[in-house]
Structures are given as C-alpha cells and as structure tokens.
Amino acid sequence: MVKAHDTSLEGDGVVMNQAKVLETIAKPYGARPAISVGTEVYLTYRQMADKVACLAGGMQAQLGLQIGDRVALAMKNCGDYYPIEYACWHAGLASVPMNAKLHPREMAYILENSGARVCFATPDLAAELTALIDEIETLEEVVDITTERFDGLLAAAPIAVQSVEPSDLAWLFYTSGTTGRPKGAMITHRNMMSCTMNYYADIDQVTPYDTMIHPAPLSHGAGIYGVAFIAKGANNVVPASGGFEVTETLDLIAHWPSCSFFFAPTMVTRLISAPQIHDADTRNLRTIVYGGAPMYYEDTRRALDILGPKLAQVYGQGEAPMTITGLSRRIFEETENPDYEKIIATTGLARTDVEVRVVDADGTELPIGETGEVICRGDVVTPGYWRNPEANAKTFRDGWLWTGDVGSFDADGYLTLKDRSKDMIISGGTNIYPREIEEVLLRHDAVLECAVIGRPHADWGEEVVAFISLRPGHKVSPAELDQLCLENIARFKRPKAYHFQANLPKNNYGKILKTELRQVDQEILAKSAAD
C-alpha cells in the first residue's frame, strides 16, 4: 500500500475510487452520452458503467490480476481508453498510461520499471510491444483492443467496485524524461479526488450537459481532467483522428454544446494562428484550460482577442497533477479589473487545498517579490516516485514537493514563474531568466515561437542565445530583434546570437526541448569554427 504524506483518513475508502463515482453518476444520467468519437456517441453512462464492470471482471477472472497490480495502457486516444482505465480502478488495479508517441524502447522501460503484468494496446502498437514480452520479466500479456481476446474480457461476469484506501495507487504517471530516465509519480486515489474537486473549485463548473473534447493525449493532463467531467456526467469526446488537427477541432466545437479542452500552450498557438479560425463558429466553446508549459503573455493576449475570455490556466506537474496554482475562467472574464493585464501574465493563485511557497536553497520562505524555488504541499501531491528513493530524497523534503521551478509572489498572492531552475542563465554573476527575453521576442509580429538558452562563455560564464521560428511568409533580421530587446530589457540580457529554425524540437507533450537546442547550438559553433 502506498501511503501519502500526512495521511489521516484510514478505513474503507471506496468513496475515493473514481470507478465508484462513475457507478454513482450512471444511475441518474445513464442515458446521457459518456464517451463519443468524432460526432457520434460511443457509450452512454449506463453502457460505460456496465462495460467497465464486465471488463474489470475479465481482468480479475481471465487475466488473473489482483488488487494493487499495475496495468499499462499503450493506446492512442480512442473510445475505449476511459473504459479500460476505469475498469482498472473498478478492479482495484493501478493504471500506467503511456504516451502513444513514445518509442517502443521507451515504453519497454516504463513496462519494466512499473512491473506491469498486462498492457492494453491499440493495434498500431500491439505487435511491437508483444515482441517485448520475453525481455520484460513481469509482463505476461499485451492485449490488442481490436481482437477477440479483448471481446472475451468484455464478456466476463461483472464484479463489484473493489474497496480501496485513499492512499492506494491509482495512476502511475511517468514524467517526460527530458533529462534522463522518466520517473513514475505515484498518483493515489486521494490525489485523483483532490485534483477532481479542485477543478470545480478553482477552474470551472461542470454539468451533465457539458462536453470535454480530447485532442491532447489522455495519458497526460487531458486524461486527468477528463475524470472531472466523467464525475459530473458530462460527455467526453475523442476526435476521430485521435489527435489534434485544427480543422477537425473547429468542426467538433461547432457540433458539440458547451465544450471545453485541455491544451498545451503550443496547441493554443496553433489554433489561433490557423487562417480558418477567423471564420469559425466558436459559440459552443466554453473553456480552454491550458497548462503543461508556460504560455507567453503575447499568445494569451491574442487568444483572448480571437476567442474571448474563454480561458483558464493551470500550473502543476505530474507530481501534483495540474494543481499548484491557477487562473480560473472567472478571472479571465473580469476584464474591467484595473490589474487585469498584470494578472493574466501570472500563473495564478494557490489552488484551494494546496499550500505554495517561494523559498531559498535552505527552504526559508522569501519575502513578496523575491525570486526563489516554488515548493508546495497538499492532498494532490504524490507521496513520491515509484521505486526511486534517490529522486524522492531530492524532490520531497519534510512533506514539501520541490518543483524545480523558479518564481515569485506579488502582494496579492499571484505567482509569476520565471523559469525552470535548470534553464536559468548566469552571466557575469547575474541571473537571467530566459522567459523574460522570450516574452519580448514574441512581441514581434514575425515570431511564431522562440526559446532562449545559455551558451558557455569563457569570461562571462554563460551568454544568451535565442532560437526563433517564424510565421509563414514573414522575415525578421537579427538587428531588428536586437533593437526590440534593447527597447524593453537590459542590454546584458540581449541575445548574442540568433538561430532561425522552421520548427523548434518538442517532446510528446508539446514542451520545447532546450536540451536539444543546446546541442544544436554547439553543433553550429563547431561547424562555424571548422569553416
């Protein structure tokens, strides 16, 4: 059993199980759509609850899975994603969602590290993963969800929702691993419930007549937030493509009433930069919740101008799923607030049951306005990483999650993130935060995306380098960007070099990979020296 920090509630915690929540909501709203694919209803709530109970029975009787076992999901977004995940919870198992865009070798590491006994897979991934069974000791079977084997599991006798403790493992979330092997953050049933309730408290309200559309991977933040919509009997829609395509997204907005999304900021940028957005019918759009990476002020402002005040922002990590600070939909609607522009440039207020501090290296809380590392604690925070005591010792101290993010609070309690601590540039003994420079560069109409990194320098320690991706049909010179920087920030922060690329490298969740950009910069330097 996984014990969370400061656990006080013990005993029968079945109310914490999201599968029990599904069973309860399916009674009054059984005829309402639960899962839709494209514009067609795939399962009603009654059908979903029945399917989940039978599949859970199949997992228990036919696969021999026992309470506490881990079950991996190697699946693109599809109609059966949530039924399989809820069946895991119904049977008292822990789900291990894996991003479908990962390389099979990356999935192999997660399968081995998690000790998953079974992996459910979409047909595009099943064959390659089946070939790994002999080399992964705990993995017994890969179930292709389009086969008779899966149909047989669905034909099993239903079982009752298994009783779980609040501190039992529900979801094993593996970080993106941009700086090494991914770590499995243990998300308990208590964590899941806290995240769900915080959505209603701090982001937006949900009714059975609302819709959540899922172009973003259900293995990540979208999957977490979809749980909040299922808990209220709302419709969860998977695009027919299984992913994010602007035209398809706009068509779904026009079709489904009162629809919300979880987007990475890069998806918001793609949506509002698409030519067809200006003629699209977005009246059904309720809320775009964005998070997972910084959203630059200029992009936020453009989104508000095009879509209206239909945004909500969340700041969190896999270790505290989507729930550290946030800006609710209501805050974005308060356009008459004299501090509106300042507020929407922040990452918001501490969430309802999360305590957030900014501290120095020793953990001493810093005064308002001073910059330090962001730490937090609360029921949403993971009790730790799966089988990784070294990482636990570094990241969790005295019940606090040390996020690795650098930020500061203002007098009204709004948190502004400067950067990841590892991305901070130190030049001539002075701290330079890349995000500040990126915000300025994005003010130029020609700049679509940018990323600022530090390059080693013999005299100054580091110097500033900017990577730029331009909007189609636009041009800009380094001299113009220099002038823009000199008009807005101190001279020493101005980039000493600009690299123009058609696309900036991103991981599977849309975050720009600065590690790769540092390598590219060094390759450019080496080539220049050779020439």
Side-chain angles (χ1 to χ4, degrees):
M1 182 180 295
V2 178
K3 292 294 182 185
H5 296 304
D6 300 324
T7 297
S8 58
L9 177 62
E10 300 298 342
D12 188 352
V14 71
V15 71
M16 284 283 182
N17 192 331
Q18 292 295 335
K20 187 66 176 178
V21 177
L22 169 64
E23 181 181 75
T24 300
I25 204 71
K27 293 175 181 177
Y29 299 110
R32 296 289 305 166
I35 307 292
S36 298
V37 177
T39 58
E40 302 295 324
V41 174
Y42 182 66
L43 293 171
T44 65
Y45 269 92
R46 173 44 51 207
Q47 290 169 335
M48 181 174 172
D50 290 345
K51 188 171 191 174
V52 164
C54 291
L55 181 54
M59 290 177 174
Q60 190 178 87
Q62 298 179 35
L63 297 177
L65 295 171
Q66 301 175 1
I67 291 176
D69 282 342
R70 277 78 59 207
V71 175
L73 281 65
M75 300 166 58
K76 291 183 176 179
N77 289 10
C78 63
D80 280 320
Y81 201 105
Y82 273 127
I84 292 172
E85 187 153 58
Y86 273 78
C88 291
W89 298 334
H90 192 109
L93 312 171
S95 67
V96 187
M98 301 187 295
N99 193 301
K101 294 181 180 179
L102 292 177
H103 189 280
R105 299 311 314 177
E106 295 174 302
M107 290 189 182
Y109 172 79
I110 294 173
L111 290 166
E112 183 174 27
N113 185 261
S114 67
R117 291 181 57 192
V118 173
C119 176
F120 287 89
T122 42
D124 54 304
L125 299 168
E128 287 185 287
L129 293 175
T130 298
L132 299 173
I133 290 178
D134 290 340
E135 66 179 80
I136 300 175
E137 185 177 351
T138 58
L139 186 61
E140 299 168 7
E141 186 173 354
V142 175
V143 179
D144 183 332
I145 66 169
T146 63
T147 61
E148 292 182 359
R149 174 57 163 157
F150 184 64
D151 292 340
L153 296 174
L154 294 173
I159 61 172
V161 178
Q162 300 299 290
S163 178
V164 297
E165 295 288 349
S167 54
D168 284 343
L169 183 64
W171 177 318
L172 195 52
F173 173 76
Y174 279 82
T175 62
S176 54
T178 56
T179 58
R181 289 288 198 182
K183 303 183 290 291
M186 298 183 291
I187 307 303
T188 67
H189 286 274
R190 182 195 298 280
N191 297 149
M192 291 289 294
M193 186 62 76
S194 178
C195 182
T196 297
M197 299 306 289
N198 265 274
Y199 188 95
Y200 313 138
D202 301 325
I203 302 302
D204 201 6
Q205 294 299 302
V206 181
T207 77
Y209 305 98
D210 291 326
T211 306
M212 180 72 156
I213 302 177
H214 295 284
L218 289 172
S219 57
H220 199 54
I224 287 279
Y225 271 176
V227 170
F229 279 71
I230 290 174
K232 290 293 186 179
N235 186 16
N236 282 262
V237 179
V238 176
S241 69
F244 177 59
E245 297 178 2
V246 170
T247 300
E248 180 182 33
T249 298
L250 291 173
D251 288 344
L252 291 173
I253 291 173
H255 180 82
W256 292 108
S258 188
C259 53
S260 296
F261 295 82
F262 172 76
F263 276 176
T266 52
M267 296 168 70
V268 180
T269 303
R270 283 179 59 190
L271 182 69
I272 62 176
S273 299
Q276 57 267 50
I277 188 66
H278 300 289
D279 298 320
D281 181 358
T282 59
R283 286 175 294 178
N284 281 339
L285 177 62
R286 177 174 174 82
T287 310
I288 293 178
V289 183
Y290 64 90
M295 178 87 146
Y296 298 108
Y297 173 79
E298 288 300 317
D299 290 333
T300 303
R301 188 67 266 178
R302 280 203 310 131
L304 290 168
D305 290 343
I306 293 170
L307 302 173
K310 299 180 178 182
L311 301 180
Q313 181 185 181
V314 293
Y315 160 54
Q317 299 181 330
E319 295 84 351
M322 321 306 293
T323 317
I324 297 177
T325 65
L327 291 171
S328 69
R329 186 179 189 275
R330 179 189 56 77
I331 288 176
F332 278 99
E333 292 174 339
E334 295 177 347
T335 55
E336 300 304 316
N337 187 327
D339 294 325
Y340 185 75
E341 298 296 327
K342 182 188 77 171
I343 289 170
I344 65 172
T346 74
T347 47
L349 302 167
R351 302 291 289 275
T352 294
D353 67 347
V354 182
E355 187 176 358
V356 186
R357 294 180 182 174
V358 171
V359 301
D360 63 16
D362 296 324
T364 301
E365 189 168 8
L366 294 173
I368 290 168
E370 289 198 19
T371 298
E373 183 165 353
V374 179
I375 66 173
C376 67
R377 65 180 176 183
D379 276 353
V380 75
V381 176
T382 172
Y385 297 117
W386 178 258
R387 297 175 177 172
N388 198 334
E390 183 178 336
N392 285 337
K394 180 179 179 181
T395 306
F396 304 98
R397 308 181 208 172
D398 300 323
W400 292 84
L401 164 65
W402 287 62
T403 66
D405 292 321
V406 175
S408 64
F409 277 112
D410 67 17
D412 296 322
Y414 289 92
L415 177 71
T416 296
L417 291 182
K418 307 296 185 180
D419 256 299
R420 293 288 293 171
S421 57
K422 61 182 173 56
D423 290 332
M424 185 176 69
I425 301 167
I426 303 177
S427 182
T430 301
N431 294 345
I432 299 175
Y433 299 104
R435 183 173 178 179
E436 180 184 9
I437 305 167
E438 292 161 355
E439 291 276 14
V440 170
L441 293 172
L442 282 167
R443 296 180 189 178
H444 198 288
D445 291 340
V447 177
L448 175 63
E449 292 183 319
C450 66
V452 168
I453 62 168
R455 170 197 288 172
H457 189 278
D459 297 324
W460 299 102
E462 288 183 291
E463 62 181 1
V464 178
V465 175
F467 282 80
I468 306 290
S469 175
L470 297 177
R471 298 185 187 282
H474 287 69
K475 294 182 179 180
V476 65
S477 68
E480 289 179 78
L481 295 177
D482 267 350
Q483 186 59 36
L484 179 64
C485 289
L486 291 172
E487 291 171 356
N488 290 279
I489 53 176
R491 178 175 289 273
F492 72 89
K493 299 178 183 179
R494 175 178 56 90
K496 303 305 184 288
Y498 297 92
H499 301 315
F500 294 89
Q501 293 193 176
N503 297 291
L504 302 185
K506 300 180 181 70
N507 68 9
N508 292 317
Y509 302 120
K511 294 182 182 179
I512 294 174
L513 295 171
K514 292 194 174 183
T515 301
E516 288 192 16
L517 293 180
R518 293 185 186 98
Q519 294 173 351
V520 171
D521 179 59
Q522 291 304 304
E523 291 168 3
I524 292 172
L525 279 179
K527 185 177 185 301
S528 177
D531 293 342

